């Protein structure tokens, strides 16, 4: 009997030993997998660092660390990118556009596999053709201009977050619904592409939605001007029913501080399309101001496992809640992981070539804390998202939002192949 | 309120703020012949020092009237100390060299100070706005203005008149004018020029820092705030004439009124308006409207 058992046990022991050996080799293979090096470009100095660059960098750091530790919920539970650990290389986005082009080339010389970066629309427009020339998969994580994929086509460039069209169309829809008797509106936006495009989209949408309403003032102060009292006087004198601003960072905080005592926000229904970043500092947005977060981010994000994970992991590491630039950076890295692992699976589990990652990235649908995201625009390179707006209500010194209204992709984004400006001018039809 | 009155009030307020910061720049140029690129950093330093001192004070419910004094005190200490270190530690080693060398040295100081500020205070913005709204509002027609803006107008007037009176009516002021006029002869006459240099540079630094500290409650204090102001104050002193106090006052008033007119009547041209004024003035008077006369040396 004993011999029978021993004889029967022998193949089993061999099988177990072989299994253990394979497992050990596999584990070693994973442990020894070449790291995936990602270049992260964001503002680490200058006025945009505090509201944008630092929260984005923090998000990159926490996302990479959690992915490497395998702590991110499904469908991102595998370690790193398909088992290969992620390594981040940071570059400061501060400085001229020409400097960014040089820095981009330097980044590639450091052997990065992918680049995720850029808040400035000007930098995105300049980097896209360089990325194409250098054949490096590059993801834009924050810049808003829709022109990147509306005016050109790129193979290596992706933007897994939405454009700024969504912000201003959503803002116009919200104020039109909230103030049905809207007769006059005005704006205060920074005098560069971002502010000018934001005002044009907002004004164009209101022209379509409220043809009888008219613009009574459009203030265009210099980026970083700091002093807005003359503009505030002009806006107060114009008595607009609705006031629109795409101000961000120090400009937004300065406007809030200077307009508050003069009751500008009480006299006009005010919508701040990038207002969410101002809820993270000490600036107090007054009750009644409408804010957006450039997508379903921050206080507008849905209650799902990925959102809960991001908020918990970010807060644990940085003792703060993630703002919308953090969400957008996180969303971009998760998109890259989804595309990479899809390509890896199609490649029989082996490390995919950049072309294979591109093939799996185009028209990708992936999960993010903001929900399901699809790259349905720009020939599959540009994400389309819905957005939300709400009204600020300060509760025990904490900013909350009430009357949140969500807008679907079709309500705030043009269909594929149609330019944002033309879509708005044509009456926002699908 | 008629729009023209709004233009006047907004223009004067902006002019006062600009003049307060430009005063130190033109004073330093007048005496030391240094076009101080680091002036913007001294302004930012004043703002950071101000919010650092009054932030905890306001948070603990301290008297807000005292917070104004604390802002000025912080600016005097920070501006005076850094001004002394800059002049004695660096600038005095370059006196007598080509003005371009001094321009580059102050530009280097500007870069160093920008990084030093980030090192000390980080990149997150600081906001302490309570002193701005605490003084209440002043109604002018259907517009209301925070009284704090009038406080800045008052401080600018006191600084301008005080400095002019000092130069005109005090012994030290007259000696300083002699140094401005001809430093070599002044030295030969026994005036301790180096002492006047360090005190003047410290005074310029303190004026920049006071400008920054008093601006701090109205803005978000963040890296980069010194860059914008240095460009504007350069425009002001160039229009008025480098080294001229009445010139700085006139330049600030001109820029303030033109900018306010643009904001009210042609908002898209706001940025452009300041520089077109500068270009027009320099086309007619290349050394500025109130450029001080220079004695020809044989």
């Amino acid at each position: 009997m004993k011999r029978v058992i021993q004889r029967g046990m022998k193949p089993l022991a061999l099988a177990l030993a072989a299994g253990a050996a394979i497992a050990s080799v596999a584990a070693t293979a994973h442990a020894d997998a070449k790291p995936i090096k990602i270049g992260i470009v964001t503002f680490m100095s200058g006025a945009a660092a505090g509201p944008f660059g630092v929260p984005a960098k923090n998000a990159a750091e926490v996302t990479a660390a959690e992915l490497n530790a395998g702590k991110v919920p499904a469908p991102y539970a595998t370690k790193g990118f398909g088992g290969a650990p992620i390594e981040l290389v940071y570059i400061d986005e501060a400085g001229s556009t020409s400097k960014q082009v040089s820095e981009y080339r330097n980044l590639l010389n450091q052997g990065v596999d992918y680049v995720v970066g850029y808040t400035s629309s000007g930098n995105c427009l300049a980097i896209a053709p360089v990325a194409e020339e250098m054949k490096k998969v590059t993801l834009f994580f924050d810049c808003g201009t829709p022109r990147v994929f509306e005016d050109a086509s790129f193979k290596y460039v992706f933007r897994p977050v939405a454009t700024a069209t969504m912000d201003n169309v959503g803002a116009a829809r919200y104020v039109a619904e909230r103030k049905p008797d809207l007769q006059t509106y005005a704006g205060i936006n920074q005098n560069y592409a971002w502010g000018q495009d934001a005002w044009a989209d907002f004004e164009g949408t209101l022209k379509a939605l409220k043809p009888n309403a008219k613009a009574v003032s459009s203030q265009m102060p210099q980026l970083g001007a700091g002093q807005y009292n003359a503009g505030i006087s002009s806006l107060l004198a114009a008595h607009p029913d609705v006031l629109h601003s795409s101000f961000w960072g120090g400009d937004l905080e300065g406007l809030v501080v200077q307009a508050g005592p003069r009751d500008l926000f009480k006299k006009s229904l005010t919508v701040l399309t990038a207002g969410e970043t101002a809820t993270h500092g000490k600036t107090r947005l007054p009750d009644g101001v409408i804010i957006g977060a450039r997508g379903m981010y921050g206080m507008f994000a849905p209650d799902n496992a990925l959102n809960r994970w991001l908020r918990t992991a970010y807060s644990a590491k940085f003792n703060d809640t993630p703002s919308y630039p953090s969400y957008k950076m996180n969303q971009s890295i998760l998109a890259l992981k989804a595309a990479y692992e899809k390509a890896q699976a199609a490649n029989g589990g082996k490390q995919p070539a950049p072309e294979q990652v591109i093939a799996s990235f185009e028209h990708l649908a992936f999960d993010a804390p903001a929900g399901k995201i699809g790259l349905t625009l720009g020939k599959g390179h540009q994400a389309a998202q819905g957005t939300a707006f709400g009204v600020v209500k300060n509760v025990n010194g904490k900013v909350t939002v009430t009357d949140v209204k969500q807008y679907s992709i079709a309500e705030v984004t043009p269909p594929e192949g149609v330019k944002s400006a033309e879509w708005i001018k044509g009456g926002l039809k699908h | 309120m008629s729009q023209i009155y709004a233009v006047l009030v907004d223009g004067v307020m902006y002019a006062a703020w600009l003049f307060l910061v430009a005063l130190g720049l033109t004073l330093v140029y007048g005496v030391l012949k240094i076009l101080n690129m680091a002036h913007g950093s001294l302004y930012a330093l004043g703002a950071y020092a101000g919010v650092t001192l009054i932030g905890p004070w306001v948070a603990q419910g301290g008297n807000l009237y005292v917070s104004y004094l604390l802002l000025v005190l912080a600016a005097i200490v920070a501006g005076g100390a850094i001004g002394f270190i800059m002049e004695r530690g660096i600038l005095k080693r370059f006196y007598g060299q080509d003005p371009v060398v001094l321009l580059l040295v102050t530009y280097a100081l500007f870069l160093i100070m920008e990084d030093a500020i980030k090192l000390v205070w980080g990149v997150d913005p600081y906001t302490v706005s309570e002193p701005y709204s605490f003084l209440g509002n002043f109604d002018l027609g259907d517009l209301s203005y925070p009284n704090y803006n009038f406080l800045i107008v008052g401080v600018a007037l006191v600084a301008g008149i005080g400095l002019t009176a000092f130069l005109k009516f005090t012994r030290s002021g007259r000696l300083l004018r002699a140094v401005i006029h001809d430093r070599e002869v002044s030295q030969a006459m026994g005036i301790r020029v180096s002492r006047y240099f360090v005190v003047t540079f410290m005074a310029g630094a303190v004026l920049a820092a006071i400008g920054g500290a008093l601006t701090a409650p109205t803005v978000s204090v963040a890296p980069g705030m010194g860059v914008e102001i240095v460009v504007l104050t350069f425009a002001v002193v160039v229009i008025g004439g480098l080294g001229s106090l009445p010139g700085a006052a006139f330049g600030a008033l001109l820029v303030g009124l033109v900018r306010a007119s643009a904001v009210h009547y042609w908002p898209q041209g706001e940025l452009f308006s300041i520089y077109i004024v500068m270009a027009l003035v320099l086309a007619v008077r290349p050394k500025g409207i109130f450029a001080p006369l220079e004695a020809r040396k044989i």
Side-chain angles (χ1 to χ4, degrees), chain B residues 140-151:
Chain B
L140 282 170
D142 54 351
L143 293 183
S144 73
Y145 290 89
N147 286 330
Y148 189 86
N149 292 347
F150 295 101
L151 174 76

PDB file of all heavy atoms in Angstrom, chain B residues 140-151:
ATOM      1  N   LEU B 140     -19.097 105.598  -4.531  1.00  0.00           N
ATOM      2  CA  LEU B 140     -18.959 106.708  -5.479  1.00  0.00           C
ATOM      3  C   LEU B 140     -20.007 106.478  -6.561  1.00  0.00           C
ATOM      4  O   LEU B 140     -19.827 105.618  -7.420  1.00  0.00           O
ATOM      5  CB  LEU B 140     -17.566 106.723  -6.102  1.00  0.00           C
ATOM      6  CG  LEU B 140     -16.418 107.295  -5.263  1.00  0.00           C
ATOM      7  CD1 LEU B 140     -15.078 107.005  -5.929  1.00  0.00           C
ATOM      8  CD2 LEU B 140     -16.568 108.791  -5.073  1.00  0.00           C
ATOM      9  N   GLY B 141     -21.117 107.220  -6.473  1.00  0.00           N
ATOM     10  CA  GLY B 141     -22.221 106.980  -7.396  1.00  0.00           C
ATOM     11  C   GLY B 141     -22.755 105.573  -7.191  1.00  0.00           C
ATOM     12  O   GLY B 141     -22.958 105.141  -6.055  1.00  0.00           O
ATOM     13  N   ASP B 142     -22.914 104.839  -8.280  1.00  0.00           N
ATOM     14  CA  ASP B 142     -23.430 103.480  -8.133  1.00  0.00           C
ATOM     15  C   ASP B 142     -22.314 102.437  -8.019  1.00  0.00           C
ATOM     16  O   ASP B 142     -22.573 101.245  -8.039  1.00  0.00           O
ATOM     17  CB  ASP B 142     -24.376 103.133  -9.301  1.00  0.00           C
ATOM     18  CG  ASP B 142     -23.708 103.348 -10.642  1.00  0.00           C
ATOM     19  OD1 ASP B 142     -22.592 103.919 -10.663  1.00  0.00           O
ATOM     20  OD2 ASP B 142     -24.298 102.964 -11.669  1.00  0.00           O
ATOM     21  N   LEU B 143     -21.087 102.901  -7.889  1.00  0.00           N
ATOM     22  CA  LEU B 143     -19.971 101.964  -7.682  1.00  0.00           C
ATOM     23  C   LEU B 143     -19.450 102.107  -6.260  1.00  0.00           C
ATOM     24  O   LEU B 143     -19.499 103.189  -5.683  1.00  0.00           O
ATOM     25  CB  LEU B 143     -18.822 102.269  -8.652  1.00  0.00           C
ATOM     26  CG  LEU B 143     -19.069 102.044 -10.135  1.00  0.00           C
ATOM     27  CD1 LEU B 143     -17.800 102.339 -10.914  1.00  0.00           C
ATOM     28  CD2 LEU B 143     -19.509 100.615 -10.401  1.00  0.00           C
ATOM     29  N   SER B 144     -18.971 101.016  -5.729  1.00  0.00           N
ATOM     30  CA  SER B 144     -18.347 101.115  -4.406  1.00  0.00           C
ATOM     31  C   SER B 144     -16.934 100.556  -4.483  1.00  0.00           C
ATOM     32  O   SER B 144     -16.685  99.578  -5.207  1.00  0.00           O
ATOM     33  CB  SER B 144     -19.176 100.365  -3.360  1.00  0.00           C
ATOM     34  OG  SER B 144     -19.038  98.997  -3.539  1.00  0.00           O
ATOM     35  N   TYR B 145     -16.020 101.202  -3.776  1.00  0.00           N
ATOM     36  CA  TYR B 145     -14.609 100.811  -3.800  1.00  0.00           C
ATOM     37  C   TYR B 145     -14.166 100.450  -2.387  1.00  0.00           C
ATOM     38  O   TYR B 145     -14.544 101.154  -1.439  1.00  0.00           O
ATOM     39  CB  TYR B 145     -13.746 101.971  -4.302  1.00  0.00           C
ATOM     40  CG  TYR B 145     -13.920 102.280  -5.765  1.00  0.00           C
ATOM     41  CD1 TYR B 145     -14.888 103.179  -6.199  1.00  0.00           C
ATOM     42  CD2 TYR B 145     -13.113 101.680  -6.716  1.00  0.00           C
ATOM     43  CE1 TYR B 145     -15.048 103.467  -7.539  1.00  0.00           C
ATOM     44  CE2 TYR B 145     -13.263 101.968  -8.060  1.00  0.00           C
ATOM     45  CZ  TYR B 145     -14.230 102.861  -8.472  1.00  0.00           C
ATOM     46  OH  TYR B 145     -14.385 103.136  -9.804  1.00  0.00           O
ATOM     47  N   PRO B 146     -13.359  99.436  -2.245  1.00  0.00           N
ATOM     48  CA  PRO B 146     -12.848  99.129  -0.901  1.00  0.00           C
ATOM     49  C   PRO B 146     -11.968 100.284  -0.396  1.00  0.00           C
ATOM     50  O   PRO B 146     -11.143 100.811  -1.151  1.00  0.00           O
ATOM     51  CB  PRO B 146     -12.012  97.864  -1.115  1.00  0.00           C
ATOM     52  CG  PRO B 146     -12.501  97.287  -2.382  1.00  0.00           C
ATOM     53  CD  PRO B 146     -12.928  98.435  -3.231  1.00  0.00           C
ATOM     54  N   ASN B 147     -12.176 100.666   0.855  1.00  0.00           N
ATOM     55  CA  ASN B 147     -11.372 101.757   1.427  1.00  0.00           C
ATOM     56  C   ASN B 147      -9.890 101.423   1.427  1.00  0.00           C
ATOM     57  O   ASN B 147      -9.046 102.308   1.478  1.00  0.00           O
ATOM     58  CB  ASN B 147     -11.834 102.054   2.853  1.00  0.00           C
ATOM     59  CG  ASN B 147     -13.160 102.788   2.849  1.00  0.00           C
ATOM     60  OD1 ASN B 147     -13.459 103.539   1.923  1.00  0.00           O
ATOM     61  ND2 ASN B 147     -13.977 102.554   3.868  1.00  0.00           N
ATOM     62  N   TYR B 148      -9.589 100.117   1.397  1.00  0.00           N
ATOM     63  CA  TYR B 148      -8.182  99.696   1.389  1.00  0.00           C
ATOM     64  C   TYR B 148      -7.446 100.311   0.193  1.00  0.00           C
ATOM     65  O   TYR B 148      -6.276 100.665   0.300  1.00  0.00           O
ATOM     66  CB  TYR B 148      -8.101  98.170   1.339  1.00  0.00           C
ATOM     67  CG  TYR B 148      -6.713  97.634   1.552  1.00  0.00           C
ATOM     68  CD1 TYR B 148      -6.226  97.414   2.837  1.00  0.00           C
ATOM     69  CD2 TYR B 148      -5.874  97.348   0.476  1.00  0.00           C
ATOM     70  CE1 TYR B 148      -4.945  96.927   3.042  1.00  0.00           C
ATOM     71  CE2 TYR B 148      -4.597  96.870   0.672  1.00  0.00           C
ATOM     72  CZ  TYR B 148      -4.135  96.650   1.955  1.00  0.00           C
ATOM     73  OH  TYR B 148      -2.863  96.182   2.149  1.00  0.00           O
ATOM     74  N   ASN B 149      -8.161 100.443  -0.940  1.00  0.00           N
ATOM     75  CA  ASN B 149      -7.529 101.044  -2.124  1.00  0.00           C
ATOM     76  C   ASN B 149      -7.142 102.493  -1.855  1.00  0.00           C
ATOM     77  O   ASN B 149      -6.122 102.969  -2.351  1.00  0.00           O
ATOM     78  CB  ASN B 149      -8.471 100.970  -3.324  1.00  0.00           C
ATOM     79  CG  ASN B 149      -8.677  99.542  -3.792  1.00  0.00           C
ATOM     80  OD1 ASN B 149      -7.946  98.645  -3.388  1.00  0.00           O
ATOM     81  ND2 ASN B 149      -9.685  99.319  -4.607  1.00  0.00           N
ATOM     82  N   PHE B 150      -7.976 103.188  -1.074  1.00  0.00           N
ATOM     83  CA  PHE B 150      -7.650 104.582  -0.733  1.00  0.00           C
ATOM     84  C   PHE B 150      -6.480 104.622   0.241  1.00  0.00           C
ATOM     85  O   PHE B 150      -5.714 105.578   0.252  1.00  0.00           O
ATOM     86  CB  PHE B 150      -8.880 105.291  -0.169  1.00  0.00           C
ATOM     87  CG  PHE B 150      -9.983 105.420  -1.190  1.00  0.00           C
ATOM     88  CD1 PHE B 150     -11.067 104.553  -1.179  1.00  0.00           C
ATOM     89  CD2 PHE B 150      -9.918 106.378  -2.189  1.00  0.00           C
ATOM     90  CE1 PHE B 150     -12.061 104.649  -2.130  1.00  0.00           C
ATOM     91  CE2 PHE B 150     -10.906 106.477  -3.154  1.00  0.00           C
ATOM     92  CZ  PHE B 150     -11.988 105.609  -3.131  1.00  0.00           C
ATOM     93  N   LEU B 151      -6.379 103.576   1.057  1.00  0.00           N
ATOM     94  CA  LEU B 151      -5.233 103.492   1.981  1.00  0.00           C
ATOM     95  C   LEU B 151      -3.927 103.434   1.173  1.00  0.00           C
ATOM     96  O   LEU B 151      -2.944 104.104   1.514  1.00  0.00           O
ATOM     97  CB  LEU B 151      -5.359 102.248   2.871  1.00  0.00           C
ATOM     98  CG  LEU B 151      -4.186 101.941   3.791  1.00  0.00           C
ATOM     99  CD1 LEU B 151      -4.203 102.888   4.990  1.00  0.00           C
ATOM    100  CD2 LEU B 151      -4.223 100.503   4.294  1.00  0.00           C
TER     101      LEU B 151
END
